[in-house]
Amino acid sequence: MAKTRQVKLKELVTSEAALAHIANLPVSAQMSFRLGKVLETVAPELARYQKEHTKLVNKYRVPCNAPEGRTSGNVFTDTNRELLDTEYDGLLDTIVDLPFGRIKVADLLAEKVGRHKEGDKEVDDFLKLSGQEIYQLSWLLKAGEQALFVEEE
């Protein structure tokens, strides 16, 4: 049986855009397979989150006339807002079992995602992630053995 590890649903929710970004890049077959396994596990969890979030909003909202340009309006009383926030925080703290390990940052950043010309030469383009994307994907990525920071002298 595969070893599992646990993360909070909040980590998956906050990484949705970054995960979609890397999932749509033309990476190697091996990396595509790994990312496919991640998406196979994460997508149903995100769908469940959306469904539960909508249920919470509907449970605590007070219907009102929609502001101009919107199809519906929601108002939350102070009490309902507090109750919603409490239940929403509980939803985000839900533990999710992941049946896969982490992906090494170096492996991901070594992925060739295209080529371009520089003068007469063809040059490889490698996958790039912003600092924010790396932070959002921290539940999925593992830093290598090389230190990311050096000590001040």
Side-chain angles (χ1 to χ4, degrees):
M1 181 168 196
K3 186 176 179 182
T4 63
R5 62 190 183 86
Q6 298 180 324
V7 299
K8 289 186 177 184
L9 183 59
K10 173 184 348 187
E11 295 175 272
L12 303 181
V13 170
T14 59
S15 70
E16 189 171 9
L19 194 53
H21 168 77
I22 63 171
N24 286 306
L25 292 173
V27 294
S28 68
Q30 182 181 18
M31 187 61 70
S32 290
F33 180 79
R34 291 169 78 184
L35 292 172
K37 288 294 186 186
V38 170
L39 292 173
E40 184 178 43
T41 301
V42 171
E45 296 297 336
L46 292 174
R48 183 173 60 92
Y49 158 77
Q50 288 293 342
K51 182 179 173 184
E52 293 300 318
H53 179 253
T54 299
K55 279 185 191 176
L56 286 175
V57 169
N58 289 335
K59 179 179 177 180
Y60 290 110
R61 75 185 179 99
V62 177
C64 67
N65 292 330
E68 190 172 324
R70 293 188 51 197
T71 55
S72 66
N74 292 320
V75 172
F76 298 94
T77 63
D78 289 344
T79 302
N80 281 6
R81 172 55 79 180
E82 287 177 26
L83 292 170
L84 171 65
D85 289 347
T86 299
E87 284 195 49
Y88 182 69
D89 289 344
L91 173 63
L92 291 176
D93 285 340
T94 302
I95 299 296
V96 176
D97 291 320
L98 300 177
F100 50 81
R102 295 174 183 259
I103 297 173
K104 290 181 183 175
V105 173
D107 290 349
L108 190 60
L109 297 180
E111 287 292 318
K112 295 177 185 172
V113 295
R115 295 180 64 79
H116 71 276
K117 271 199 172 266
E118 283 186 13
D120 294 339
K121 291 197 313 191
E122 287 278 326
V123 179
D124 291 326
D125 293 324
F126 293 92
L127 189 144
K128 293 182 172 94
L129 295 174
S130 68
Q132 181 177 1
E133 288 172 319
I134 289 175
Y135 170 74
Q136 291 171 344
L137 293 168
S138 62
W139 61 270
L140 177 63
L141 302 177
K142 178 182 181 192
E145 299 302 314
Q146 185 178 7
L148 294 177
F149 300 96
V150 294
E151 295 293 323
E152 295 271 341
E153 293 184 17

